[in-house]
Amino acid sequence: KNQVEQSPQSLIILEGKNCTLQCNYTVSPFSNLRWYKQDTGRGPVSLTIMTFSENTKSNGRYTATLDADTKQSSLHITASQLSDSASYICVVSVGTYKYIFGTGTRLKVLA
Amino acid sequence: DSGVTQTPKHLITATGQRVTLRCSPRSGDLSVYWYQQSLDQGLQFLIQYYNGEERAKGNILERFSAQQFPDLHSELNLSSLELGDSALYFCASSVGTSGYNEQFFGPGTRLTVL
């Protein structure tokens, strides 16, 4: 069964600290993996996308990694800011047209 | 602002009723996707259209249907509404059908079924 699991479910950190969010997937055939940021009540916004052959992709203070062998991805946020408070969603594309969404990690950054 | 527009922003209706949600994709995008996000739940992919044709179906109920018109806007029709249909409904668009194409999400329609 195609599944995407994210951990932790929620996370609270202090402003300026780093954090890492995890995404494990059991999906076949794997096409690509994308991380989204979703502010409360708003639509998700794409942060990074990686194909099978890509190990790491950065977008400013966001760095995503992908280990296709272990079927794991992580999103590392450096020097967190209050505006990073949001849900982060891992999405895996299966084949051409199917998308499996994780339930997300809810991040809260405190001043 | 993603360039994707959705109307209405909020919708309150009663069980058993039928509603229509509307989505206009970004200029130049041919693909439209519909998603449902229930309270504290992840996004569920419902259906995808490309240039007027259905391309993929996800967890869409038989009571729900969608279509994409020649001007590329799309409508999601929800009928015989139940309390459990209360959710945020997002529309997204992308330039093509490849999973590598970035999807741009609209602001969503919040549906409340009483």
Side-chain angles (χ1 to χ4, degrees), chain A residues 49-85:
Chain A
I49 181 170
M50 289 179 291
T51 60
F52 186 87
S53 59
E54 294 174 297
N55 299 118
T56 185
K57 190 75 77 80
S58 290
N59 179 358
R61 295 180 296 103
Y62 301 102
T63 299
T65 63
L66 175 65
D67 185 332
D69 292 330
T70 62
K71 299 189 177 181
Q72 295 180 326
S73 176
S74 64
L75 180 69
H76 186 74
I77 304 175
T78 305
S80 60
Q81 300 176 357
L82 297 178
S83 60
D84 292 331
S85 295

mmCIF file of all heavy atoms in Angstrom, chain A residues 49-85:
data_model
loop_
_atom_site.group_PDB
_atom_site.id
_atom_site.type_symbol
_atom_site.label_atom_id
_atom_site.label_comp_id
_atom_site.label_asym_id
_atom_site.label_seq_id
_atom_site.Cartn_x
_atom_site.Cartn_y
_atom_site.Cartn_z
ATOM 1 N N ILE A 49 11.486 20.160 -4.768
ATOM 2 C CA ILE A 49 11.085 18.915 -5.409
ATOM 3 C C ILE A 49 12.341 18.146 -5.779
ATOM 4 O O ILE A 49 13.339 18.747 -6.198
ATOM 5 C CB ILE A 49 10.218 19.141 -6.663
ATOM 6 C CG1 ILE A 49 9.811 17.794 -7.274
ATOM 7 C CG2 ILE A 49 10.920 20.037 -7.675
ATOM 8 C CD1 ILE A 49 8.778 17.907 -8.367
ATOM 9 N N MET A 50 12.314 16.836 -5.567
ATOM 10 C CA MET A 50 13.486 16.000 -5.880
ATOM 11 C C MET A 50 13.046 14.756 -6.616
ATOM 12 O O MET A 50 12.044 14.130 -6.278
ATOM 13 C CB MET A 50 14.196 15.598 -4.584
ATOM 14 C CG MET A 50 14.927 16.755 -3.910
ATOM 15 S SD MET A 50 15.724 16.245 -2.396
ATOM 16 C CE MET A 50 14.289 15.927 -1.386
ATOM 17 N N THR A 51 13.802 14.393 -7.621
ATOM 18 C CA THR A 51 13.585 13.145 -8.321
ATOM 19 C C THR A 51 14.463 12.066 -7.706
ATOM 20 O O THR A 51 15.251 12.328 -6.781
ATOM 21 C CB THR A 51 13.919 13.286 -9.816
ATOM 22 O OG1 THR A 51 15.294 13.670 -9.933
ATOM 23 C CG2 THR A 51 13.053 14.350 -10.462
ATOM 24 N N PHE A 52 14.361 10.880 -8.261
ATOM 25 C CA PHE A 52 15.065 9.708 -7.743
ATOM 26 C C PHE A 52 16.568 9.936 -7.630
ATOM 27 O O PHE A 52 17.222 9.480 -6.693
ATOM 28 C CB PHE A 52 14.788 8.526 -8.670
ATOM 29 C CG PHE A 52 15.327 7.226 -8.177
ATOM 30 C CD1 PHE A 52 14.577 6.430 -7.327
ATOM 31 C CD2 PHE A 52 16.579 6.776 -8.567
ATOM 32 C CE1 PHE A 52 15.059 5.217 -6.864
ATOM 33 C CE2 PHE A 52 17.077 5.568 -8.108
ATOM 34 C CZ PHE A 52 16.315 4.781 -7.261
ATOM 35 N N SER A 53 17.138 10.667 -8.571
ATOM 36 C CA SER A 53 18.598 10.812 -8.641
ATOM 37 C C SER A 53 19.141 11.989 -7.841
ATOM 38 O O SER A 53 20.350 12.181 -7.765
ATOM 39 C CB SER A 53 19.026 10.965 -10.103
ATOM 40 O OG SER A 53 18.394 12.099 -10.667
ATOM 41 N N GLU A 54 18.262 12.765 -7.236
ATOM 42 C CA GLU A 54 18.709 13.940 -6.491
ATOM 43 C C GLU A 54 18.780 13.627 -5.006
ATOM 44 O O GLU A 54 17.836 13.080 -4.436
ATOM 45 C CB GLU A 54 17.774 15.121 -6.744
ATOM 46 C CG GLU A 54 17.821 15.602 -8.186
ATOM 47 C CD GLU A 54 16.786 16.681 -8.457
ATOM 48 O OE1 GLU A 54 15.580 16.388 -8.341
ATOM 49 O OE2 GLU A 54 17.188 17.808 -8.796
ATOM 50 N N ASN A 55 19.893 14.001 -4.361
ATOM 51 C CA ASN A 55 20.086 13.723 -2.945
ATOM 52 C C ASN A 55 19.724 14.912 -2.058
ATOM 53 O O ASN A 55 19.337 14.741 -0.915
ATOM 54 C CB ASN A 55 21.538 13.345 -2.667
ATOM 55 C CG ASN A 55 21.935 12.106 -3.426
ATOM 56 O OD1 ASN A 55 22.821 12.151 -4.254
ATOM 57 N ND2 ASN A 55 21.269 11.012 -3.153
ATOM 58 N N THR A 56 19.906 16.107 -2.590
ATOM 59 C CA THR A 56 19.662 17.289 -1.783
ATOM 60 C C THR A 56 19.221 18.449 -2.664
ATOM 61 O O THR A 56 19.619 18.558 -3.822
ATOM 62 C CB THR A 56 20.928 17.655 -0.977
ATOM 63 O OG1 THR A 56 20.629 18.738 -0.106
ATOM 64 C CG2 THR A 56 22.060 18.034 -1.898
ATOM 65 N N LYS A 57 18.382 19.290 -2.099
ATOM 66 C CA LYS A 57 17.882 20.472 -2.813
ATOM 67 C C LYS A 57 17.647 21.559 -1.787
ATOM 68 O O LYS A 57 17.034 21.290 -0.737
ATOM 69 C CB LYS A 57 16.594 20.109 -3.538
ATOM 70 C CG LYS A 57 16.056 21.131 -4.504
ATOM 71 C CD LYS A 57 16.831 21.196 -5.798
ATOM 72 C CE LYS A 57 16.562 20.097 -6.759
ATOM 73 N NZ LYS A 57 15.314 20.291 -7.533
ATOM 74 N N SER A 58 18.115 22.759 -2.075
ATOM 75 C CA SER A 58 17.964 23.860 -1.122
ATOM 76 C C SER A 58 17.085 24.965 -1.675
ATOM 77 O O SER A 58 17.039 25.192 -2.892
ATOM 78 C CB SER A 58 19.338 24.440 -0.764
ATOM 79 O OG SER A 58 20.071 23.532 0.020
ATOM 80 N N ASN A 59 16.416 25.648 -0.777
ATOM 81 C CA ASN A 59 15.603 26.812 -1.104
ATOM 82 C C ASN A 59 15.744 27.773 0.070
ATOM 83 O O ASN A 59 14.993 27.698 1.035
ATOM 84 C CB ASN A 59 14.150 26.401 -1.323
ATOM 85 C CG ASN A 59 13.253 27.582 -1.636
ATOM 86 O OD1 ASN A 59 13.695 28.727 -1.661
ATOM 87 N ND2 ASN A 59 11.981 27.318 -1.870
ATOM 88 N N GLY A 60 16.748 28.632 -0.031
ATOM 89 C CA GLY A 60 17.001 29.561 1.075
ATOM 90 C C GLY A 60 17.421 28.801 2.321
ATOM 91 O O GLY A 60 18.363 28.014 2.307
ATOM 92 N N ARG A 61 16.668 29.021 3.405
ATOM 93 C CA ARG A 61 17.006 28.340 4.671
ATOM 94 C C ARG A 61 16.437 26.922 4.750
ATOM 95 O O ARG A 61 16.620 26.243 5.760
ATOM 96 C CB ARG A 61 16.466 29.187 5.838
ATOM 97 C CG ARG A 61 17.131 30.556 5.975
ATOM 98 C CD ARG A 61 16.553 31.353 7.134
ATOM 99 N NE ARG A 61 15.131 31.662 6.919
ATOM 100 C CZ ARG A 61 14.143 31.019 7.519
ATOM 101 N NH1 ARG A 61 14.404 30.047 8.372
ATOM 102 N NH2 ARG A 61 12.895 31.375 7.280
ATOM 103 N N TYR A 62 15.772 26.483 3.713
ATOM 104 C CA TYR A 62 15.205 25.138 3.666
ATOM 105 C C TYR A 62 16.095 24.235 2.823
ATOM 106 O O TYR A 62 16.431 24.560 1.688
ATOM 107 C CB TYR A 62 13.806 25.159 3.050
ATOM 108 C CG TYR A 62 12.807 26.028 3.758
ATOM 109 C CD1 TYR A 62 12.468 27.292 3.264
ATOM 110 C CD2 TYR A 62 12.186 25.602 4.927
ATOM 111 C CE1 TYR A 62 11.543 28.077 3.916
ATOM 112 C CE2 TYR A 62 11.257 26.397 5.577
ATOM 113 C CZ TYR A 62 10.939 27.632 5.063
ATOM 114 O OH TYR A 62 10.023 28.418 5.705
ATOM 115 N N THR A 63 16.469 23.077 3.387
ATOM 116 C CA THR A 63 17.250 22.089 2.651
ATOM 117 C C THR A 63 16.581 20.731 2.789
ATOM 118 O O THR A 63 16.372 20.248 3.899
ATOM 119 C CB THR A 63 18.694 22.001 3.181
ATOM 120 O OG1 THR A 63 19.331 23.273 3.026
ATOM 121 C CG2 THR A 63 19.485 20.945 2.391
ATOM 122 N N ALA A 64 16.251 20.138 1.663
ATOM 123 C CA ALA A 64 15.631 18.818 1.658
ATOM 124 C C ALA A 64 16.654 17.793 1.209
ATOM 125 O O ALA A 64 17.504 18.067 0.357
ATOM 126 C CB ALA A 64 14.427 18.799 0.731
ATOM 127 N N THR A 65 16.591 16.608 1.821
ATOM 128 C CA THR A 65 17.447 15.502 1.407
ATOM 129 C C THR A 65 16.576 14.313 1.055
ATOM 130 O O THR A 65 15.452 14.179 1.549
ATOM 131 C CB THR A 65 18.431 15.101 2.518
ATOM 132 O OG1 THR A 65 17.689 14.628 3.640
ATOM 133 C CG2 THR A 65 19.305 16.273 2.938
ATOM 134 N N LEU A 66 17.096 13.454 0.213
ATOM 135 C CA LEU A 66 16.367 12.265 -0.204
ATOM 136 C C LEU A 66 17.314 11.081 -0.251
ATOM 137 O O LEU A 66 18.385 11.161 -0.846
ATOM 138 C CB LEU A 66 15.744 12.472 -1.591
ATOM 139 C CG LEU A 66 15.039 11.265 -2.211
ATOM 140 C CD1 LEU A 66 13.814 10.877 -1.389
ATOM 141 C CD2 LEU A 66 14.635 11.556 -3.659
ATOM 142 N N ASP A 67 16.918 10.008 0.418
ATOM 143 C CA ASP A 67 17.654 8.741 0.350
ATOM 144 C C ASP A 67 16.702 7.736 -0.277
ATOM 145 O O ASP A 67 15.818 7.200 0.397
ATOM 146 C CB ASP A 67 18.088 8.293 1.754
ATOM 147 C CG ASP A 67 18.962 7.054 1.709
ATOM 148 O OD1 ASP A 67 18.834 6.249 0.763
ATOM 149 O OD2 ASP A 67 19.781 6.883 2.620
ATOM 150 N N ALA A 68 16.891 7.492 -1.562
ATOM 151 C CA ALA A 68 15.980 6.611 -2.294
ATOM 152 C C ALA A 68 16.120 5.152 -1.851
ATOM 153 O O ALA A 68 15.188 4.368 -2.013
ATOM 154 C CB ALA A 68 16.216 6.743 -3.795
ATOM 155 N N ASP A 69 17.275 4.799 -1.312
ATOM 156 C CA ASP A 69 17.475 3.412 -0.864
ATOM 157 C C ASP A 69 16.642 3.108 0.377
ATOM 158 O O ASP A 69 16.003 2.059 0.468
ATOM 159 C CB ASP A 69 18.949 3.154 -0.580
ATOM 160 C CG ASP A 69 19.787 3.173 -1.848
ATOM 161 O OD1 ASP A 69 19.236 2.814 -2.915
ATOM 162 O OD2 ASP A 69 20.962 3.568 -1.790
ATOM 163 N N THR A 70 16.668 4.019 1.328
ATOM 164 C CA THR A 70 15.910 3.803 2.565
ATOM 165 C C THR A 70 14.517 4.404 2.477
ATOM 166 O O THR A 70 13.716 4.256 3.398
ATOM 167 C CB THR A 70 16.643 4.422 3.767
ATOM 168 O OG1 THR A 70 16.749 5.828 3.561
ATOM 169 C CG2 THR A 70 18.024 3.804 3.939
ATOM 170 N N LYS A 71 14.217 5.091 1.381
ATOM 171 C CA LYS A 71 12.910 5.723 1.178
ATOM 172 C C LYS A 71 12.604 6.711 2.285
ATOM 173 O O LYS A 71 11.528 6.669 2.913
ATOM 174 C CB LYS A 71 11.814 4.674 1.034
ATOM 175 C CG LYS A 71 12.047 3.759 -0.169
ATOM 176 C CD LYS A 71 10.871 2.850 -0.454
ATOM 177 C CE LYS A 71 11.167 2.029 -1.698
ATOM 178 N NZ LYS A 71 10.070 1.135 -2.075
ATOM 179 N N GLN A 72 13.582 7.569 2.523
ATOM 180 C CA GLN A 72 13.428 8.591 3.548
ATOM 181 C C GLN A 72 13.821 9.955 2.983
ATOM 182 O O GLN A 72 14.750 10.062 2.175
ATOM 183 C CB GLN A 72 14.298 8.282 4.765
ATOM 184 C CG GLN A 72 13.909 7.013 5.496
ATOM 185 C CD GLN A 72 14.806 6.743 6.694
ATOM 186 O OE1 GLN A 72 15.990 7.040 6.664
ATOM 187 N NE2 GLN A 72 14.222 6.202 7.753
ATOM 188 N N SER A 73 13.106 10.970 3.464
ATOM 189 C CA SER A 73 13.458 12.340 3.119
ATOM 190 C C SER A 73 13.403 13.173 4.387
ATOM 191 O O SER A 73 12.689 12.842 5.336
ATOM 192 C CB SER A 73 12.481 12.906 2.083
ATOM 193 O OG SER A 73 12.759 14.263 1.802
ATOM 194 N N SER A 74 14.185 14.239 4.401
ATOM 195 C CA SER A 74 14.132 15.146 5.536
ATOM 196 C C SER A 74 14.120 16.575 5.020
ATOM 197 O O SER A 74 14.610 16.866 3.919
ATOM 198 C CB SER A 74 15.325 14.921 6.467
ATOM 199 O OG SER A 74 16.531 15.240 5.798
ATOM 200 N N LEU A 75 13.530 17.440 5.818
ATOM 201 C CA LEU A 75 13.538 18.873 5.529
ATOM 202 C C LEU A 75 14.193 19.560 6.706
ATOM 203 O O LEU A 75 13.704 19.473 7.827
ATOM 204 C CB LEU A 75 12.116 19.408 5.321
ATOM 205 C CG LEU A 75 12.022 20.899 5.008
ATOM 206 C CD1 LEU A 75 12.581 21.194 3.613
ATOM 207 C CD2 LEU A 75 10.571 21.392 5.091
ATOM 208 N N HIS A 76 15.313 20.228 6.442
ATOM 209 C CA HIS A 76 16.061 20.908 7.491
ATOM 210 C C HIS A 76 15.826 22.406 7.365
ATOM 211 O O HIS A 76 15.984 22.974 6.278
ATOM 212 C CB HIS A 76 17.552 20.592 7.357
ATOM 213 C CG HIS A 76 18.383 21.135 8.464
ATOM 214 N ND1 HIS A 76 18.387 20.584 9.731
ATOM 215 C CD2 HIS A 76 19.222 22.197 8.511
ATOM 216 C CE1 HIS A 76 19.211 21.283 10.503
ATOM 217 N NE2 HIS A 76 19.720 22.249 9.792
ATOM 218 N N ILE A 77 15.430 23.008 8.470
ATOM 219 C CA ILE A 77 15.208 24.460 8.494
ATOM 220 C C ILE A 77 16.300 25.087 9.350
ATOM 221 O O ILE A 77 16.479 24.699 10.523
ATOM 222 C CB ILE A 77 13.820 24.813 9.063
ATOM 223 C CG1 ILE A 77 12.733 24.089 8.260
ATOM 224 C CG2 ILE A 77 13.597 26.325 9.026
ATOM 225 C CD1 ILE A 77 11.333 24.268 8.819
ATOM 226 N N THR A 78 17.013 26.004 8.773
ATOM 227 C CA THR A 78 18.134 26.647 9.453
ATOM 228 C C THR A 78 17.722 28.013 9.985
ATOM 229 O O THR A 78 16.984 28.750 9.321
ATOM 230 C CB THR A 78 19.308 26.824 8.473
ATOM 231 O OG1 THR A 78 19.638 25.544 7.916
ATOM 232 C CG2 THR A 78 20.528 27.410 9.151
ATOM 233 N N ALA A 79 18.203 28.327 11.181
ATOM 234 C CA ALA A 79 17.971 29.652 11.771
ATOM 235 C C ALA A 79 16.498 30.038 11.667
ATOM 236 O O ALA A 79 16.140 31.023 11.007
ATOM 237 C CB ALA A 79 18.864 30.690 11.103
ATOM 238 N N SER A 80 15.661 29.279 12.326
ATOM 239 C CA SER A 80 14.207 29.435 12.182
ATOM 240 C C SER A 80 13.742 30.854 12.513
ATOM 241 O O SER A 80 14.339 31.565 13.338
ATOM 242 C CB SER A 80 13.486 28.432 13.077
ATOM 243 O OG SER A 80 13.829 28.648 14.428
ATOM 244 N N GLN A 81 12.650 31.236 11.846
ATOM 245 C CA GLN A 81 12.027 32.537 12.058
ATOM 246 C C GLN A 81 10.570 32.323 12.443
ATOM 247 O O GLN A 81 10.003 31.256 12.178
ATOM 248 C CB GLN A 81 12.123 33.375 10.784
ATOM 249 C CG GLN A 81 13.549 33.628 10.323
ATOM 250 C CD GLN A 81 13.623 34.376 9.006
ATOM 251 O OE1 GLN A 81 12.611 34.678 8.377
ATOM 252 N NE2 GLN A 81 14.856 34.680 8.567
ATOM 253 N N LEU A 82 9.973 33.337 13.038
ATOM 254 C CA LEU A 82 8.572 33.227 13.448
ATOM 255 C C LEU A 82 7.678 32.871 12.253
ATOM 256 O O LEU A 82 6.702 32.127 12.392
ATOM 257 C CB LEU A 82 8.105 34.526 14.086
ATOM 258 C CG LEU A 82 8.813 34.929 15.381
ATOM 259 C CD1 LEU A 82 8.283 36.282 15.876
ATOM 260 C CD2 LEU A 82 8.649 33.865 16.460
ATOM 261 N N SER A 83 8.038 33.363 11.080
ATOM 262 C CA SER A 83 7.244 33.108 9.878
ATOM 263 C C SER A 83 7.343 31.667 9.382
ATOM 264 O O SER A 83 6.602 31.277 8.471
ATOM 265 C CB SER A 83 7.673 34.054 8.748
ATOM 266 O OG SER A 83 9.049 33.861 8.450
ATOM 267 N N ASP A 84 8.243 30.905 9.984
ATOM 268 C CA ASP A 84 8.329 29.481 9.618
ATOM 269 C C ASP A 84 7.233 28.664 10.276
ATOM 270 O O ASP A 84 7.039 27.487 9.936
ATOM 271 C CB ASP A 84 9.694 28.900 10.029
ATOM 272 C CG ASP A 84 10.846 29.477 9.217
ATOM 273 O OD1 ASP A 84 10.624 29.854 8.047
ATOM 274 O OD2 ASP A 84 11.967 29.559 9.758
ATOM 275 N N SER A 85 6.508 29.253 11.209
ATOM 276 C CA SER A 85 5.400 28.550 11.868
ATOM 277 C C SER A 85 4.349 28.195 10.820
ATOM 278 O O SER A 85 3.755 29.076 10.193
ATOM 279 C CB SER A 85 4.772 29.429 12.955
ATOM 280 O OG SER A 85 5.688 29.669 13.995
#
